[in-house]
Amino acid sequence: MSSSPQVEKILALANSPKTAYALWAVASIAALLPLFAARDLPLIDLPSHLGAIEVWSHYGDASRGYAKYYELNLEPAPYWVAYGVMRLCAFLMPVRAAAKLFLALSIAALVLGLRELLRAHRAPTILALAGLLIGWGAFTQWGMLPFVGALGPLLFGYALLARLVDASETVEAHGKTRTRLFIGSAVVGVFLLFSHPMAFLLWLVGVAVYARGWKALVAFPALVVFVLQLAHSPGAQPNAQQVVRIQGLWRLPWTAIRRIPDGLAGFSPETWQPVFVLVLLGSLVTALVLARRDPPARDKRPILLAGVLFLACVFLPYHLEKPVGFAGMNVRVPPVLALAMFAVLARSALPGWRSLAAGVPLAAAVVALSVSLWVRFRGFDKKTRDFYSVVEHLPQDPA
């Protein structure tokens, strides 16, 4: 029985690559809109990051007086990448604009990193739209810019590890290809070490999942740098009487599982937590149902990675107090877990309308969340206008 002309037109439109491009364009533009909604974005930790970049940018300006109250320390440390990028941008634009540009680049890197992970496992790349949704998730709205900026490189690091293993097991792979992938993976490890400590630890999880034998040596350069950092950090060498103890705050396993959505949704948990979870799981289930698979060549590594990340959500401490202070450990894992889960569609395809069936809910959620943030950010901007009018008349006082 032949279908009607209207149905054929709809199917042709759904199967057209231009439709997928339009979906990406709409979601990407929507994801950037909240950046322009307010002079200052109401992200919780953002002012502290802006303050540090402001002091660094004008440290030598005697009229500002920062040198009297602050000591400039440029030794390599975590946050170095985020602060370094924003400092370079601050040469060309105000610090506020530099932070917004860094956030835009972080969201773009998150999407591209997820896309590379999906490509490395031959999974449908339309699912990389989830990166735009997580890009405006909890940690962006909490203002944790260094961690958000490290998520994309972390996913890219997983992709390089997968490609390194595949190239090592393929006879046709050229030796130079393996060497480049090995060096690239090692560089990403060092990069993540200077981006955020949790991103570096989660990269080591990826090394443990993917790498075997000599391939595990990709972590060696970063671990050497890490040990050197610890050796030169204040108070790193305890006295003979001191005992290194691990102390912190752990959550019960069920509590840790129940709080996983906290690491996905942001400002309005009671509203957006169910939306985030349902959309992400719905798109994943839809893709699993509609995907055309290659069973003889099933890739189980993404399933193992997702499983280890889930265990990290459950058993890592909420806060670590000793031997180092580290607030919010396990709650930083859910966005990585949510994004890595899409790679379980390894060696699968979503041709034509199947791709849109999995991607449209993700794009729609991105648009809805971006509009919600735009409205809230605009409301915040209006409420702070009187505050700005007062601040503009205050004298410069670094104290």
Side-chain angles (χ1 to χ4, degrees), residues 176-222:
K176 290 184 179 179
T177 301
R178 288 191 287 267
T179 301
R180 293 193 190 100
L181 290 170
F182 185 92
I183 295 175
S185 296
V187 169
V188 169
V190 177
F191 182 89
L192 290 171
L193 179 60
F194 292 123
S195 297
H196 195 278
M198 198 65 210
F200 174 65
L201 292 177
L202 294 178
W203 178 77
L204 292 178
V205 169
V207 173
V209 169
Y210 285 99
R212 295 291 186 272
W214 63 269
K215 295 180 287 294
L217 292 175
V218 294
F220 183 74

Side-chain angles (χ1 to χ4, degrees), residues 96-114:
R96 287 185 176 91
K100 291 182 178 182
L101 177 59
F102 178 79
L103 182 52
L105 293 174
S106 298
I107 295 175
L110 180 55
V111 176
L112 293 176
L114 178 57

Side-chain angles (χ1 to χ4, degrees), residues 61-399:
D61 188 344
S63 64
R64 297 179 183 261
Y66 291 140
K68 181 179 178 181
Y69 296 93
Y70 299 94
E71 179 181 354
L72 191 62
N73 182 4
L74 298 181
E75 293 183 5
Y79 288 22
W80 213 40
V81 171
Y83 280 19
V85 171
M86 286 187 279
R87 174 66 183 94
L88 290 175
C89 293
F91 280 111
L92 304 174
M93 62 190 71
V95 173
R96 287 185 176 91
K100 291 182 178 182
L101 177 59
F102 178 79
L103 182 52
L105 293 174
S106 298
I107 295 175
L110 180 55
V111 176
L112 293 176
L114 178 57
R115 183 173 180 271
E116 285 304 307
L117 179 60
L118 296 175
R119 288 183 62 190
H121 289 289
R122 291 171 53 190
T125 55
I126 190 67
L127 300 175
L129 282 166
L132 293 174
L133 190 59
I134 298 297
W136 275 111
F139 291 99
T140 301
Q141 296 176 33
W142 292 344
M144 299 179 179
L145 266 62
F147 181 71
V148 177
L151 289 177
L154 172 61
L155 296 173
F156 182 70
Y158 289 160
L160 283 181
L161 289 169
R163 293 184 184 279
L164 173 62
V165 173
D166 291 342
S168 301
E169 296 176 353
T170 303
V171 178
E172 293 80 7
H174 198 280
K176 290 184 179 179
T177 301
R178 288 191 287 267
T179 301
R180 293 193 190 100
L181 290 170
F182 185 92
I183 295 175
S185 296
V187 169
V188 169
V190 177
F191 182 89
L192 290 171
L193 179 60
F194 292 123
S195 297
H196 195 278
M198 198 65 210
F200 174 65
L201 292 177
L202 294 178
W203 178 77
L204 292 178
V205 169
V207 173
V209 169
Y210 285 99
R212 295 291 186 272
W214 63 269
K215 295 180 287 294
L217 292 175
V218 294
F220 183 74
L223 290 174
V224 170
V225 176
F226 180 60
V227 171
L228 292 175
Q229 283 183 330
L230 290 179
H232 290 85
S233 63
Q237 300 177 358
N239 297 325
Q241 294 81 9
Q242 292 178 316
V243 178
V244 177
R245 297 176 179 175
I246 298 178
Q247 295 182 0
L249 174 62
W250 272 261
R251 286 172 165 171
L252 294 174
W254 169 245
T255 303
I257 294 173
R258 185 169 54 85
R259 304 300 294 184
I260 285 178
D262 290 348
L264 300 178
F267 284 149
S268 300
E270 70 284 356
T271 303
W272 283 104
Q273 280 186 5
V275 173
F276 266 74
V277 173
L278 289 175
V279 170
L280 292 171
L281 288 180
S283 294
L284 179 61
V285 171
T286 300
L288 286 170
V289 172
L290 298 178
R292 294 179 177 175
R293 301 179 183 84
D294 185 10
R298 184 65 61 87
D299 187 354
K300 298 180 180 179
R301 293 171 300 177
I303 299 176
L304 179 59
L305 177 62
V308 175
L309 290 173
F310 175 78
L311 293 177
C313 291
V314 176
F315 294 109
L316 279 179
Y318 178 48
H319 296 311
L320 188 65
E321 298 169 0
K322 291 182 179 180
V324 295
F326 198 151
M329 290 189 71
N330 69 336
V331 294
R332 298 178 194 266
V333 185
V336 185
L337 171 61
L339 295 170
M341 282 179 60
F342 286 97
V344 302
L345 282 141
R347 303 186 185 276
S348 300
L350 287 171
W353 62 268
R354 294 174 175 83
S355 178
L356 293 184
V360 166
L362 292 171
V366 171
V367 173
L369 178 60
S370 298
V371 171
S372 174
L373 291 176
W374 171 275
V375 173
R376 281 181 261 168
F377 288 3
R378 290 296 296 174
F380 171 81
D381 195 58
K382 292 179 181 178
K383 291 179 181 179
T384 55
R385 288 176 182 174
D386 291 340
F387 170 77
Y388 285 129
S389 65
V390 173
V391 170
E392 290 174 354
H393 292 85
L394 295 177
Q396 172 70 21
D397 184 5

